[in-house]
Amino acid sequence: DLTCVPIPILPYYLVGKKRISMSQYILNYILYQETEQRKQSHVHPMDVQMAVFHCSDSFLKQDIISKLSQCQYALPFLVPDPFKMDIECPMWTFRQIRKSWKQTDNSNLVTMKSVPICKAETPMVAFLRLGSVSSSKSQLMSSLINERHNTFFHRNCPGSTKSRYLIDGLAEIAWYCPSGKPNDAFNDCIAFCNLHGDALSCETQRDILIEKSSVNVILLPSLEKDGKSSKILSDLLKSPKPLICLIANNDSAAVELKEGTRKYKMGLKNISLSDVIEELKAIIKKILSSQYNTFKLESMTKVRGVRMDEDDEACQRGKSAALEIQTLLKMKDISKIKDTFLQCQGNLWKKWCEKHKGLYRLQGQIEKEKCQTEKELKLIREKQCDVASSELMNLFLKNLQSLHSLEKKYFLKWTGILLDDLSTDALSGILQEYDQKWTEVLNLKKKDDKGEKHNHLKKYVEKQRAELEELSAKLQSATFGLEHMFREMGQIYEAHASVNRTTGELNWSKYPELAAELMISGHPVELMDGDAGHVPLTWIIRLLDAVIKKLGDKRIFVLSVLGIQSSGKSTMLNAMFGLQFAVSAGRCTRGAFMQLVKVSAEIQKDFKFDYVLVVDTEGLRALELAENTSLHHDNELATFVTGLGNLTLINIFGENPAEMQDILQIVVQAFMRMKEVNLSPSCVFVHQNVTDIAAGERNMEGKRRLQEKLDKMAQLAAKEEVCNADCFSDIITFDVQTDVKYFAQLWEGSPPMAPPNPGYSESIQELKDIILTKASKSKALTLSQFKSRISDLWKALLNEHFVFSFKNTQEIAVYRKLEVQYGKWNWALRCALLNIEHQLHNKIETGKLDKVDRSYLVKEMTTTQEDVQKAMKTYFEDDEDKEILVQWRGRFESKIKEFHDEQVKEVKRKLEEVIQQRNTCKELDDKKAEFENKLLQKSKELAHELKDKAKDEKELQKQFNRIWDVRVSELAAAAPKIKDISIQDELFCILTDLSIEWSLINECNFFGYVSITKGILAAKVERQSIEKIRTKPVASRGYTSTYLHEVASNVKDKVKAFESETKTYTFKNDFTVDLLLYVCDIAGKQLLKSHEEFKTNNDLLTHFKSKKDHHYRIFVSYCEGNSSAVVLGELICNKLKDSTVQAVYNMTAMELADEMMHSYPPLSGNKANLEKHILKSLAEKEDFDSYINYLRRPRSHMESFITEEVEKYILTEHKDKALSTLKKNVKRIEKLVSDAVETATEYVKTQGGDIDMWLEEFSSSLEDELAFSTNYGQNFGDINDFDFFKEELDKGIKSIVEEMSRLTIDSMEQFSERPDQLLIDHKCKTCWSECPFCGAVCTNTYEDHSPNDHMVTFHRPDGIKGFHFRDTVELSVDFCSTLVTRNQAFYPNSSSDQAVPYKEYKTAGGKYAEWSITPDNSTLAYWKWFVCRFQKHLENYHEKKFKGKGEIPSEWKRFTKEDAIRSLEKL
């Protein structure tokens, strides 16, 4: 299928004044010739073949010729250039071709040979035509080689035409390869060469063929003695070289012209083709039975007059570089090359793999053993570094780095060809010996099965098996190809990266980039090392990073292939995509390889992916693995590749029920695992080599049997994986009618001469269509997602329990991003509601609102809510991870609605409390207004009387005090008194109501009470109580005893709930009393503080004492003769001063909080990000008490951290930005007030209104931003010059602005709505569940999170929490994320007698069942450093020791604080 391979851009040729490509030139030439020949209906197929050949670059030519060879077609050997007319021998195109045959000697001994065709020394039979004859030479040759296949295209083939333009003068070559059977036409390999056209006009080609041939066969019309052909024939007869003359117009039998000369003639007239073929075979056999000249393709390099395609400069440079490698290896024993030059991938790598897998199966003192193993792993890496700089790898890598792209392509091709040549003979011999030995073992096994169980037979079988193992090891050692050099390259990188070491001149950091270039160019990359059974994860991740860097994060469709060994997987992929997976000569694929196939722009448009990434695997149940691996290896491989693939092809070969059952069991279990970890690949079964595939009934029966087997395997797999499945379609979407494809046999007949079956190609195309249909419905992965998937799957496979161990990091990362977005949506709703709350609060304060309707709040929120919904819709539908996000969409849309409704409800509640507070204080407010109005009236009257004494300060003060004292006395007599409260008395009454004995209260000793659980419970109850008290409107509405009663009842209820939940502790009464008194003491202090604030704000005498100076200044102003406009202006500005300042600070608080939410690293992002910054801060402080506060009271610590960070941001690090925001809001308020004055003045002048109208309009203009109300109108009814009034106000506003321009931010207390509290309210409404083992807090950002299980990115050593070994004082250093994969057990609580295996921790129930603890060996260095740094503190705090089983591994002590902080980047 040549359509898979793109034709490169070719050189341009000038035709007249027009520049056209070679391909266009050839096409124009052919079309022109056709027009001249009366426009034939179609082009000669050989012209098409040669046109494509001429228009291809050397690599495409090589692929074309390789395909032609596989299809048993003749290959271009001597090619005339259509422009220069010189002759080219395309030697390069033959380099990939290898021919295998079985030679039979005179004693009937059969010998197997497998040789690169360029190096094969065989006899060559050359066929030439002199003149014009009626018989087809090409047909004669085809019948001679293979009667059922047209090896050489001839005039009688379908599609042939009389006109041909590019094939005259073309010499083609084909080889007959015997199979070692009696019916072989010849006993040895023979090359047959065919010169197209009249040899009389192709002198150069004719002479070359005559010279190089072993036998010349001349086809001519007659034996006339005149003419050019007579001269040529005469020369041939004189030559000692064998000659066969085929005479078209002669009917004589075949005869030797002269005995012993090996010169024959034979007539063709009236003789059947089959008789001619038989005669020719006999003659050629007879000639070749004696001495003859052999022919080797490589000898063509010495022929004069022939241009070699390999003379290209880039090809020669690539070859020279490859020959250096061949020269280095040529004299070496092939089985010793890897041990000598590729030591990184040998025993060292295998040993590393074994130890690394052992990390996931540790028992005993796990952390100590883990550190020891990690030390050993590092030592192996050091040894790899020591042997990394081999002469072979230095040479190979030097060429990879120095050659340009085309030369590098040639270099890799040449290296692969030359390495295969090196290993061919050795491998061929070993494989034959292996085959004989295996046959012998099978025969012995049959005898054993029949009951012939003699001891000597058993011993002999064991001996033969041992020899078979030795041969297998020898075969593995002798297998050497490019893939091993790339594997070494990866190991060199991994070794140096792990120890961060430089060796000699190795520039190992550039290796991923080199490999990425090769992968992008279509070179296969080893994904899983088949020899070590391990994925070099570091190397693969870095390589894919480099690919992403070069290409971008492209979308890929991953196609995985599984099947029994030698079932034709790689052949199928080669036919479908033109792929050549990196396998050495004589070997099947080992491990798994991946290869990128770029798709056309049309497919990209229709199918939404840029590349197909094909993963080919070693065969399941591989013969060479049979003795040293188990079913586990196949399950591991199948699970790995099915997890990677969007689609998995399961290749079944033949109809052997046992083999079919083996692969189905493996594959079904792999798909079962995918279902359990929420991966959903699709599958197609390809049933190859099925006889009689045209029979529809037979196909239906086969599909029915396959469906039954799959269902049975699904039930077995369900039992093993402990889940439910009654049929295969319960596991994966599968339709037996469309997802099963039957393939015809690949070969028509028996190899090596059998051509491919055309039905096979049709099946390939149909399968490709099925794959594309599946791809159109599948979600493409990005390269980065594929990279994550590789890591997730492999890490899970390293653990014994795949499903339990699998962690979908891509899905987790997407969920974390969603949490960040959800936080932004929440914040947008919260901010909008806060603004609405401020506006309505102002209206309530000014008396313009006495009821809050929910419908009004919802309506006001409509725009913001629609914006959020639109943002959510866009995110879920347009994000690159939308296919992953869809599973959470409904949940988060519900959550955002719930949050909106909850916030609306909360704002309504708060505003109703403000209304209730205002109604409650209405009497006080009325008295304040009455007092101020009367005082103003009296001041105005007295000032009129004292206007002559305006400069007598003492007299004015005396007179003002007189009227002030009178008014205050009247107020004192009428004002209600606010009583003080006694918390102790209140508490006594409450405890009595709760039936607490007074004796227990007297004996209270809370701070001396010791309990493991006390700290957790007390902290929780304390936090809840303080939160409850904070919500009470004591400062605004006053105290009531129900508040403290609620706190006490809550404490008692929580203690009972804790006892009921844990079923472990029954607390004594004195503990409950201790806790009650402790919590109520804290709550009481908070209540007292709030009550004092209420007294200050609501006691009339206190209030007016603070206003005396203000009223005195108004009195003086009247005395000085100022008008009502001036006095009212002063009153208004005095009122505005406080409210404008507060409005500025409120605006600034909101803006700064919003800024920090979106751009300040510690406070932007999700909870995991916040946690990271908290831990970093703790490490920088190195204060144990702070750590204990964090560990025991995580929420309280987070609140404190947020406050610290906000203070740091506003007061120090970004103070300039904060002040700039403050100044901006000053200007905003200045404009607001100025515009309100302007608007009110113009409105009153237009309407002809009075001062009351002005005050009403002014207040309405301000109410959205700040509250303003005044009842002074009745004392200033004489104001009628509003322009003068405006001038006076403008002066006062200017004074206020000047004062506000000097505002600073020196402390958080200046904010009535503190930005830290805004962020605390937003950030701390999160999940606070703690890991039952180590105490790590769930990192899910929201309380009602999905997935429902609690989880944390990294756990801590259990000993930090106080976890210790029962009946000892030995603290544990184990991580629960390691323990959950081990065989040890734990006691769910201190009183438990029944231990629960860590592997089954969820069965312990309660909080254990609510957590998902994913196995993870990459435990955080942070907590290891912490344990070492504060070892003594922890031991003293818990009164236990890190010793014995809990001894701290020595490796932990090498971690520094910097290492600890750096490791937090993994969070």
Side-chain angles (χ1 to χ4, degrees), residues 1006 1013-1028 1047 1050-1051 1053-1055 1057-1059 1061-1062 1071 1075 1078-1079 1082 1189 1191-1196 1199 1327-1330 1343 1407 1410:
F1006 176 80
T1013 315
K1014 176 207 69 182
I1016 300 170
L1017 178 60
K1020 187 176 181 180
V1021 173
E1022 177 189 344
R1023 175 175 53 78
Q1024 290 176 339
S1025 300
I1026 291 171
E1027 285 178 1
K1028 191 176 283 290
V1047 170
N1050 181 62
V1051 172
D1053 291 344
K1054 292 297 178 186
V1055 171
F1058 190 84
E1059 289 176 333
E1061 180 186 338
T1062 60
F1071 169 73
L1075 192 56
Y1078 172 68
V1079 173
I1082 295 171
N1189 183 55
L1191 295 168
R1192 291 301 182 192
R1193 289 171 288 278
R1195 177 165 187 159
S1196 171
E1199 290 176 356
C1327 182
W1328 292 103
S1329 178
E1330 297 181 16
E1343 289 174 304
K1407 55 191 175 184
E1410 296 170 359

Side-chain angles (χ1 to χ4, degrees), residues 356-357 360-361 528 534-535 537 632 635-636 639-640 643 673-674 676-677 679 721 788-809 1381-1382 1414-1418:
H356 185 251
K357 285 185 176 180
Y360 296 83
R361 289 152 178 77
M528 176 189 276
H534 210 281
V535 175
L537 197 57
H632 175 76
N635 284 340
E636 191 174 80
T639 303
F640 185 59
R673 289 172 167 182
M674 294 309 106
E676 290 184 81
V677 296
L679 297 181
E721 296 291 332
S788 297
R789 182 75 60 83
I790 291 172
S791 178
D792 297 342
L793 286 165
W794 182 241
K795 286 177 180 177
L797 280 168
L798 287 172
N799 286 288
E800 289 179 304
H801 195 327
F802 170 82
V803 174
F804 177 59
S805 307
F806 182 78
K807 180 166 65 174
N808 192 331
T809 53
T1381 64
R1382 306 303 188 255
T1414 307
D1416 186 358
N1417 262 12
S1418 305

Side-chain angles (χ1 to χ4, degrees), residues 597-617:
V597 180
K598 186 168 177 58
V599 300
S600 67
E602 184 181 353
I603 292 179
Q604 287 183 34
K605 178 183 175 184
D606 294 340
F607 295 95
K608 306 291 190 263
F609 52 84
D610 309 295
Y611 289 85
V612 173
L613 190 140
V614 183
V615 179
D616 189 21
T617 60

Side-chain angles (χ1 to χ4, degrees), residues 1392-1448:
S1392 298
D1393 294 325
Q1394 186 67 40
V1396 177
Y1398 275 103
K1399 285 184 177 180
E1400 301 169 14
Y1401 72 91
K1402 281 180 175 280
T1403 61
K1407 55 191 175 184
Y1408 293 98
E1410 296 170 359
W1411 271 80
S1412 174
I1413 303 172
T1414 307
D1416 186 358
N1417 262 12
S1418 305
T1419 42
L1420 209 61
Y1422 185 93
W1423 293 111
K1424 296 177 182 179
W1425 166 80
F1426 169 75
V1427 168
C1428 296
R1429 170 64 181 81
F1430 295 105
Q1431 178 183 348
K1432 294 296 181 187
H1433 297 77
L1434 286 166
E1435 288 176 338
N1436 292 336
Y1437 184 81
H1438 293 298
E1439 297 180 353
K1440 291 176 178 61
K1441 297 287 184 181
F1442 286 106
K1443 66 178 184 178
K1445 293 180 184 178
E1447 182 183 353
I1448 298 173

Side-chain angles (χ1 to χ4, degrees), residues 773-990:
T773 301
K774 294 272 186 186
S776 67
K777 300 172 185 175
S778 176
K779 174 198 178 285
L781 293 170
T782 62
L783 281 166
S784 59
Q785 289 171 342
F786 177 68
K787 178 184 71 173
S788 297
R789 182 75 60 83
I790 291 172
S791 178
D792 297 342
L793 286 165
W794 182 241
K795 286 177 180 177
L797 280 168
L798 287 172
N799 286 288
E800 289 179 304
H801 195 327
F802 170 82
V803 174
F804 177 59
S805 307
F806 182 78
K807 180 166 65 174
N808 192 331
T809 53
Q810 177 64 28
E811 195 167 286
I812 292 169
V814 172
Y815 186 78
R816 294 297 180 226
K817 277 171 58 184
L818 176 58
E819 283 187 325
V820 174
Q821 290 299 321
Y822 180 70
K824 291 177 180 177
W825 300 327
N826 265 359
W827 181 253
L829 292 174
R830 187 186 291 274
C831 290
L833 270 166
L834 277 173
N835 287 331
I836 293 169
E837 182 183 343
H838 289 159
Q839 292 169 14
L840 296 182
H841 189 279
N842 291 338
K843 289 185 178 182
I844 294 168
E845 288 294 320
T846 57
K848 295 180 180 179
L849 185 70
D850 58 7
K851 183 182 178 182
V852 179
D853 290 327
R854 183 182 182 280
S855 58
Y856 175 81
L857 294 175
V858 171
K859 182 182 176 183
E860 290 296 299
M861 281 294 294
T862 300
T863 302
T864 304
Q865 190 176 18
E866 286 175 352
D867 290 343
V868 168
Q869 287 172 345
K870 185 178 178 182
M872 287 182 75
K873 185 175 184 291
T874 302
Y875 186 76
F876 279 110
E877 293 180 0
D878 297 345
D879 189 82
E880 60 182 3
D881 297 308
K882 59 186 176 185
E883 284 83 2
I884 299 175
L885 287 166
V886 70
Q887 63 184 301
W888 302 305
R889 182 171 182 170
R891 183 70 173 269
F892 273 78
E893 285 176 343
S894 297
K895 284 171 71 173
I896 208 77
K897 185 179 184 306
E898 288 169 10
F899 178 80
H900 169 268
D901 294 345
E902 183 184 312
Q903 290 299 303
V904 166
K905 183 179 178 182
E906 179 64 15
V907 168
K908 184 174 183 295
R909 182 193 64 78
K910 288 163 70 176
L911 290 173
E912 284 175 344
E913 284 187 356
V914 174
I915 292 170
Q916 187 177 353
Q917 174 198 343
R918 179 169 175 77
N919 292 337
T920 302
C921 300
K922 189 174 186 308
E923 184 182 350
L924 289 173
D925 292 340
D926 290 344
K927 287 189 178 295
K928 287 179 186 177
E930 181 187 354
F931 177 86
E932 289 181 348
N933 282 324
K934 285 184 178 180
L935 189 61
L936 275 172
Q937 184 62 36
K938 289 290 183 183
S939 297
K940 192 174 182 180
E941 292 171 359
L942 184 60
H944 183 72
E945 296 173 7
L946 299 174
K947 59 183 179 180
D948 297 333
K949 300 180 180 180
K951 295 182 179 180
D952 188 346
E953 179 70 26
K954 287 184 179 180
E955 183 61 25
L956 292 178
Q957 185 75 49
K958 178 182 173 184
Q959 293 298 328
F960 177 77
N961 286 338
R962 180 174 61 80
I963 62 168
W964 175 267
D965 291 340
V966 171
R967 296 305 308 146
V968 167
S969 298
E970 291 176 1
L971 183 65
K977 305 292 182 184
I978 299 175
K979 297 179 181 179
D980 291 330
I981 59 171
S982 171
I983 294 296
Q984 285 187 342
D985 294 343
E986 292 281 355
L987 185 56
F988 176 77
C989 294
I990 290 167

Side-chain angles (χ1 to χ4, degrees), residues 574-612:
N574 192 309
M576 201 182 316
F577 297 109
L579 303 183
Q580 291 284 354
F581 278 96
V583 291
S584 306
R587 290 284 285 170
C588 291
T589 311
R590 289 297 305 273
F593 285 83
M594 58 180 176
Q595 189 166 346
L596 275 177
V597 180
K598 186 168 177 58
V599 300
S600 67
E602 184 181 353
I603 292 179
Q604 287 183 34
K605 178 183 175 184
D606 294 340
F607 295 95
K608 306 291 190 263
F609 52 84
D610 309 295
Y611 289 85
V612 173

